[in-house]
Amino acid sequence: MGNSRPRRALVLCGGASRGAVEVGFVKALGELGIEFDLIVGTSIGALNGAMLATGMGIDEIEEFWSRFNRWKAVRPNWGWLIRPRMQPGLFSLDPMRRVLRDLLPVTRFEDLEVPLWVTTTELNNGSAVYWGERGNVIEPVVASMSIPGIFPPVILDGQLHVDGGIANNVPLDYAARQGACELYLIDCFCDRPCRRPPRGLVQVLMRSFSTAVGGRYEADRAHFRDRMKIVRVRPKFDNNIDLLDFSKSREFIRAGYEATLAAMDAAQNETATECCNGQVGCLQVTVDGPDGDAVTS
């Protein structure tokens, strides 16, 4: 990328099956000619980030999501039923490892076309850890998606790591530390009330996790809103869809695509102020779907 514009980061958050909205988000931005200097991904955002950073085309990624289902990614951990105290997860992500080995054109950070940082949570101290620059991509990505109780932790550098969303689901701060002055993100986690209460162990765990991860994001957004340009898109989608239900991926992709085009159209009509070392910024756009009202601050 050239140096004629501020350093731009794509920030991809967690949201399980709703991560498909990120595909529509990136597709729309690509059509508008918006490119990125780095990607920071958490949980399902780490998976999307890895596909993008390895050079996979957006049509190829959309096709992956359209064909994907939970049983391509997970298998039941039957040992949990027999010895629940000895088994750290209801499901295994070993099938996801095989999918990634077959899917990704390259599997090492140093070979990526766009710099990628993957967020995990170190289970012993609860801190966020960021993986990038060199080493294997697959294990950090799997760790970043390992929701505690649902999937077992992953050992990285001798320590147990779980879903990055616990420590930092929307790593605005780390993107800023990497020199980004413009951040682009789309919400794909569940922070709105559901029409129906969750049922069963897995649904309760997933809903609780999804609700919990939103708190830090709102605090970080308030902290950085006056320091850099943030473009945030909030698509409308059905919160009652199971977080492990990948059958609605095409609908999620479309929702992300349409909401992003609406958000960027609204952003073009706003006057930005100067920040981030004199660069134009300080614009945040919230769009509650393609037919919603754009709110900027």
Side-chain angles (χ1 to χ4, degrees), residues 114-238:
V114 180
L116 170 70
W117 297 91
V118 173
T119 312
T120 65
T121 301
E122 207 267 88
L123 195 56
N124 186 51
N125 59 27
S127 64
V129 180
Y130 302 94
W131 305 86
E133 293 189 332
R134 61 184 60 86
N136 180 269
V137 172
I138 292 176
E139 287 305 298
V141 168
V142 172
S144 190
M145 296 189 291
S146 295
I147 300 172
I150 304 295
F151 306 114
V154 175
I155 299 175
L156 299 172
D157 286 354
Q159 300 295 326
L160 295 176
H161 289 257
V162 294
D163 197 296
I166 295 174
N168 198 355
N169 192 45
V170 190
L172 305 180
D173 57 335
Y174 196 77
R177 282 162 54 188
Q178 295 304 307
C181 292
E182 294 184 6
L183 306 182
Y184 287 73
L185 61 137
I186 186 168
D187 290 358
C188 61
F189 50 89
C190 183
D191 63 348
R192 303 184 183 108
C194 295
R195 295 193 305 272
R196 298 187 301 272
R199 296 180 180 180
L201 176 62
V202 174
Q203 285 192 10
V204 169
L205 285 173
M206 295 291 282
R207 172 62 186 180
S208 300
F209 177 79
S210 179
T211 301
V213 299
R216 170 167 178 171
Y217 165 62
E218 293 300 334
D220 280 355
R221 182 168 64 93
H223 176 75
F224 286 106
R225 66 189 301 172
D226 295 327
R227 292 170 168 80
M228 62 180 62
K229 176 178 177 179
I230 301 175
V231 177
R232 174 200 187 192
V233 178
R234 301 192 70 192
K236 282 183 177 178
F237 50 74
D238 185 359

Side-chain angles (χ1 to χ4, degrees), residues 60-102:
E60 189 178 2
I61 296 172
E62 187 171 355
E63 181 66 17
F64 165 82
W65 271 96
S66 299
R67 294 177 176 273
F68 194 67
N69 65 68
R70 77 175 72 184
W71 301 120
K72 290 184 178 181
V74 308
R75 62 171 172 77
N77 184 2
W78 300 115
W80 185 88
L81 296 175
I82 302 171
R83 304 178 66 187
R85 292 187 179 182
M86 302 298 293
Q87 301 295 327
L90 296 172
F91 299 94
S92 168
L93 280 171
D94 283 344
M96 190 72 236
R97 289 180 168 89
R98 291 192 291 271
V99 167
L100 290 173
R101 284 195 291 268
D102 293 337

